[in-house]
Amino acid sequence: MTATQSASPSTTRRIRWLLALPKLGIVLLLAALVSLLWLLHRNEIEEDRAALIKDVLWLEQSLQFHLNSNEEQIQQLALDMASLPDRRKAFRLRAEHMLKNSPEVTQILWLDSERKVVDALPSSVPPEQEIEAFGPSAASRAHDLVMQLGKTHYSEPFFLGSNRAHIELIVPIHSDDQHIAGTLVVLYPLETLLANQVPWWFTEKYKVEIVDDNDQLYASKTRIEGNGDQRYVIPFDPPGSGLLLRVTSYRSADNSVQRSLVAAIILLAAGVFWSLWLVRDLMKKRSRAEEALRSEHAFRAAMEDSLTVGMRARDLNGCVIYVNPAFCKMTGFSPEELVGATPPMPYWAPEQLEESYAMHQTVLAGEAPDDGFEMTFMRKNGERFHALVYEAKLIDGNGKHTGWMASVLDITERKRAEELARQQQEQLQFTSRLVTMGEMASTLAHELNQPLAAIASYNTGCLNLMASGQAGVDDIRPALEKMGVQAQRAGKIIRRVHDFVRKSEPKRAPCQLGEVIEDCLGFIEPEARKRHVRIEFDIPPMRPVLADRLMLEQVLLNLMRNGMEAMTNTPAGAKLLRLGVQVTTEGLRISVSDNGCGIAPEIRDKLFTAFFTTKPEGMGVGLSICRSIIEFHRGRLWAEDNAHSPTGSGTIFHFTLPLDTA
Ligand code: ADP
């Protein structure tokens, strides 16, 4: 049985590393994900920007194309007007055609060299007024420039009507002599230009604005609201004059899908992290539980190893499934030799195989005594030892009866000590009997003297009769018979003494209590006579009791002698020793009462203590021996005051012999 060691530091380090790895992995995965998303985002921005630039360039080209094609048409008209006879008709015809095909143009004017309107299409707005209204404005400056240089020119933006920004394309009309005979003016409201020339899909994605260097806004077109995140500015030439085309892009609606994807990825990563956290928690709890289990196991193993009581478990078939170190030490067998063993067990004494097997069967049948039983076991070296075995059911964690658990105590030493104590007690009893006998020796000698003296006198009488020669056989016979009786009386006294002092093993056998009492009286009578003590007894007829006769005699004799000694100072008439026997529920109760001095309360507790005496020559072992004898017979011995004593003091000693021994 080796105790489980707790995890070594290197194992703990390895487990910590193993636990840290998934965390590291998740952190790296998250970093990779974030980098990927950032890269994607950057790519997207770059792609958006590239698309924006491409679209802006396309728009600029498209506007340029329109403006250039309008410019070419007007220039052609100006050229044609220089050579054609009917200028007005040509102007009207071509201007009308142009207005029809180019919705971004709102008006085409024909001015003479003095900037007077010759004709205008549409002519709904009085052109003079309009032109006057130009005044020193951008249009008039542009016109002057065209007149001076003789080249087509765009005006700077200016505001007209309901504050709408316009630009003008001014094309000179050369006369035959290369003079400038007038100009053709094409009026572009910038809003209209954007409205007609910027396609719808462009405005779904971008906001298009025409601004100047000072960020002055002239026109804009979009279908989107809010702030854009990217913008691209390109010179708007033609018309030039510092005008810029500013395009702002807006994130497409698809972004929301992308965003949801990103959110989903982040959420999933968080979920993974969270579940990893839970797993880590779970693992921590588990490792804590394992640690607790390990220390619990180590503690149990240590407890098991330090037990001095042998433990042995058998399954329901009687096969040994477990032995503890104490049991192995007790029997001398190793666990390997014992576990798996079936009857006959290696530790059963061969001479007691049958008894051991019977006991084994009793245990398996669940009939082993609750207060344990004794068995003789054999060590591996052949030495026998006494074992006290307690058997109990082995119940597993589910409450199922799986076998039998025995605790085994080596009681050899205890038995030896008990045996020694018993022998000592016996020796003491014997010594006590010898002492009693010694104390009674003079009385007995005196008692023996009487039959011997009688025999001697009968003998002398017989001899005298024979010497006289007159005596017949019939005269001598009665004397001889009386001699025989006296010799028997003397022999009885000697046999009693012999019986009383003989050393024998305690042995319980059926005996008549009446006879025992009678024998005791035979012993005690001479002393009673000497002490002038009357003895009364009342013995009902009863069945023989199972007892050691000699021991009972010793008890009775001791109690009677104590009673007589207690009555030393009692008035002569009151010296009465009474012996009674009662049959009670407890069994037989034998009482010895006297009218003696009684027992003082202060010594009552010490009465049965060995070597306690109040007598100058007493040994103080009598009552202690009496109690152990009665307890050996499973009875009780106690003392109480004699309440009926005529002297007012006295003691009654009671002892019982249980019914089952009767
Ligand atoms: P011992 O007779 O040698 O003193 P016991 O053990 O027989 O030893 O008695 C112990 C003591 O108990 C006696 O010394 C005596 O004081 C007291 N005792 C015993 N029997 C009686 C009795 N019948 N009446 C009064 N005292 C008694």
Side-chain angles (χ1 to χ4, degrees), residues 383-532:
E383 192 187 324
R384 278 25 173 195
F385 69 96
H386 291 287
L388 181 60
V389 185
Y390 294 93
E391 288 281 356
K393 279 183 178 176
L394 187 64
I395 308 289
D396 72 3
N398 301 320
K400 201 175 146 208
H401 175 206
T402 55
W404 300 96
M405 190 77 202
S407 47
V408 183
L409 283 169
D410 182 349
I411 54 165
T412 316
E413 273 311 311
R414 197 210 288 176
K415 280 228 146 205
R416 202 168 289 155
E418 276 174 11
E419 180 59 22
L420 201 69
R422 195 188 59 76
Q423 281 173 8
Q424 279 172 353
Q425 182 73 19
E426 242 173 58
Q427 190 62 41
L428 195 64
Q429 280 173 24
F430 178 63
T431 313
S432 159
R433 284 208 298 272
L434 286 185
V435 169
T436 308
M437 203 41 68
E439 283 168 357
M440 289 167 73
S442 64
T443 326
L444 284 171
H446 176 71
E447 181 75 1
L448 204 55
N449 207 26
Q450 283 178 0
L452 290 178
I455 290 170
S457 69
Y458 284 130
N459 187 41
T460 313
C462 284
L463 285 174
N464 288 342
L465 277 173
M466 283 164 72
S468 68
Q470 295 163 359
V473 175
D474 289 337
D475 295 325
I476 297 175
R477 182 178 288 129
L480 286 176
E481 279 171 0
K482 281 179 184 157
M483 273 171 74
V485 170
Q486 289 305 320
Q488 273 175 4
R489 196 177 148 205
K492 210 172 178 183
I493 291 170
I494 289 175
R495 198 174 56 251
R496 244 185 234 142
V497 171
H498 177 257
D499 277 354
F500 192 67
V501 296
R502 95 170 178 265
K503 201 173 178 183
S504 67
E505 291 286 306
K507 200 169 77 196
R508 278 188 286 172
C511 57
Q512 290 291 346
L513 196 63
E515 284 175 14
V516 178
I517 293 174
E518 237 168 64
D519 254 7
C520 287
L521 289 173
F523 255 131
I524 211 81
E525 250 172 5
E527 194 171 338
R529 266 200 310 278
K530 199 172 130 193
R531 289 178 179 270
H532 308 291

Side-chain angles (χ1 to χ4, degrees), residues 558 562 566 594 598-599 607 612-615 618-620 622-623 651 653:
N558 202 70
N562 274 351
D594 64 64
I599 298 164
L607 279 188
F612 170 77
T613 180
T614 55
K615 299 167 196 167
M619 261 178 74
L623 285 180
T651 314
F653 276 87

Side-chain angles (χ1 to χ4, degrees), residues 531-597:
R531 289 178 179 270
H532 308 291
V533 173
R534 259 186 313 128
I535 299 179
E536 280 180 8
F537 52 91
D538 174 21
I539 302 162
M542 69 190 103
R543 287 186 296 154
V545 289
L546 197 66
D548 184 295
R549 186 189 173 112
L550 206 59
M551 282 180 158
L552 278 189
E553 267 180 30
Q554 189 173 353
V555 172
L556 281 167
L557 215 55
N558 202 70
L559 294 180
M560 287 197 282
R561 290 194 69 225
N562 274 351
M564 287 196 300
E565 279 167 5
M567 288 191 286
T568 308
N569 296 324
T570 305
K575 287 188 178 179
L576 175 67
L577 192 72
R578 193 188 294 276
L579 237 113
V581 179
Q582 271 179 298
V583 182
T584 66
T585 47
E586 217 179 338
L588 290 181
R589 189 158 88 176
I590 298 103
S591 316
V592 179
S593 66
D594 64 64
N595 300 328
C597 58

